[in-house]
Amino acid sequence: MRLLTHNMLSSNIKGVVNGFPLRIEVEKVVEKTVEMNGEFLKKMFEKVDWKALIDASRAMGYTELPEEADSSMLDSDEFLNRFHHALLEIHLEEGALVCPETGRRFPVNKGIPNMLLHEDEV
Amino acid sequence: MASRPEVIAPPEIFYDDSEARKYTSSSRIVQIQATLSERALELLALPEDDIPKLLLDIGCGSGLSGETLTENGHHWIGLDISASMLNVALEREVEGDLLLGDMGQGLGVRPGVIDGAISISAVQWLCNADKSSHNPRLRLKAFFTSLYKCLSNGARAVFQVYPENIDQRELILNAAMHAGFAGGIVVDFPHSSKRRKEFLVLTCGQRSVNSSVSKGKNEDGESCSEEDSEDEENQTVCISDRHRPRKKQKKNNKSGKGKEWILRKKEQMRRRGNAVPQDSKYTGRKRKDRF
Ligand SMILES: C[S@@+](CC[C@H](N)C(=O)[O-])C[C@H]1O[C@@H](n2cnc3c(N)ncnc32)[C@H](O)[C@@H]1O
């Protein structure tokens, strides 16, 4: 799972008011190179929750993202490269996503988060 | 898909390791799913700006539908309830991110972030109550409500579905409308029992579906046609009034109490919690399967 996806997910447990962002527990990270598309990154920048992305990328061991970001930075290739890397190239392979409100763990195996809820969570 | 898998077992049981492999290694299925996905993507009517979009593939299975999204340059997140299907997707090294989840529990996705959603041959599964705790109506509601929320304004969702009967089609459509979607059903090849395909085309918020896309296929668009010996009209009807499919169906089903009727009755009994014998390919058998 890429951080792009992590940034869009929130805990869906019944009664949870703020299920975003899911905290990341890391056991294994893998990196996969993908081609960069500046236009896509610009679009995504509007949607991404920056704070969640920094925290997630730090948890994954990547610390190159600036603390604050605004759209003017999208003109910088260096910034785009880092944003691209954080968003699309680091994958959580093994670990867990943790609901910020209830502490419920959603295990991640072979890169696939298990988001199935128990019956009393629906 | 001759005898409906939906009535054999719950999806996470039906699509076990061997079925997942069988499904994905059938070149016929691969071909059909690719064609359906292309068509769904076309009906999504994404802006033609060459910028990759972030899409959802609901009931993504082994990634056959998602691959079409990748080929068209998009990023996607796939959700499926069958771990076996997702494992095959991993083996095939699909580009999308995969989630193990149940659409009937609603999608845990932030509001307004998704550019579009497709779902190929999956949503009809929600019409079954596979556990005593399952209520199809509530599960459809949870699904469509959460989908509506996570789509960006004006985004579309396109579902290719195999409803088992008229009631199921109504059930699905009503749930979508209740969640706030506008839209209707597009039918490709309506006069062919084998090639007939239904797409539910839904819009979230502002942009209206009616005018632009929802024209069906009226040229020969499919290539899996060895099975089509009859000389059928390759037309499409487009139905934005959701009561029209009912009429159409009725006409085709003049014969009276066929398998559909029996299955519908059985489904009703099941919904009421009665013990009903499993449906099989022999149930009410008289004529060939329509779907
Ligand atoms: C016929 S397959 C289609 C897979 C893929 N979309 C394709 O085109 O090849 C239907 C898929 O829907 C999935 N499915 C059924 N019910 C589901 C549910 N409640 N939540 C998520 N996926 C579901 C099944 O596990 C199966 O993989």
Side-chain angles (χ1 to χ4, degrees), chain B residues 3-15 81 102-105 121-141 162-165 167-169 171-172 263-264 266-273 277-279:
Chain B
S3 58
R4 299 182 60 84
E6 295 85 6
V7 295
I8 296 173
E12 67 275 27
I13 311 272
F14 179 82
Y15 290 108
I81 199 172
D102 176 357
M103 59 174 142
Q105 298 182 335
S121 325
V123 170
Q124 71 275 357
W125 283 94
L126 279 187
C127 298
N128 293 12
D130 292 320
K131 295 182 184 159
S132 57
S133 61
H134 279 189
N135 174 333
R137 223 170 275 277
L138 291 181
R139 284 167 55 75
L140 281 161
K141 181 179 173 197
Y162 292 110
E164 185 171 358
N165 50 42
D167 285 358
Q168 282 201 353
R169 184 185 298 109
L171 194 64
I172 296 172
L263 290 174
R264 191 162 69 233
K266 286 172 88 175
E267 189 57 44
Q268 275 172 7
M269 300 290 272
R270 242 178 239 128
R271 255 182 256 146
R272 288 184 202 134
Q278 269 207 349
D279 302 326

Side-chain angles (χ1 to χ4, degrees), chain B residues 1 11 15 23 33 59-61 65 80-81 102-103 120-122 125:
Chain B
M1 291 233 188
Y15 290 108
Y23 179 87
Q33 299 312 107
C60 64
S65 40
D80 205 281
I81 199 172
D102 176 357
M103 59 174 142
I120 309 299
S121 325
W125 283 94

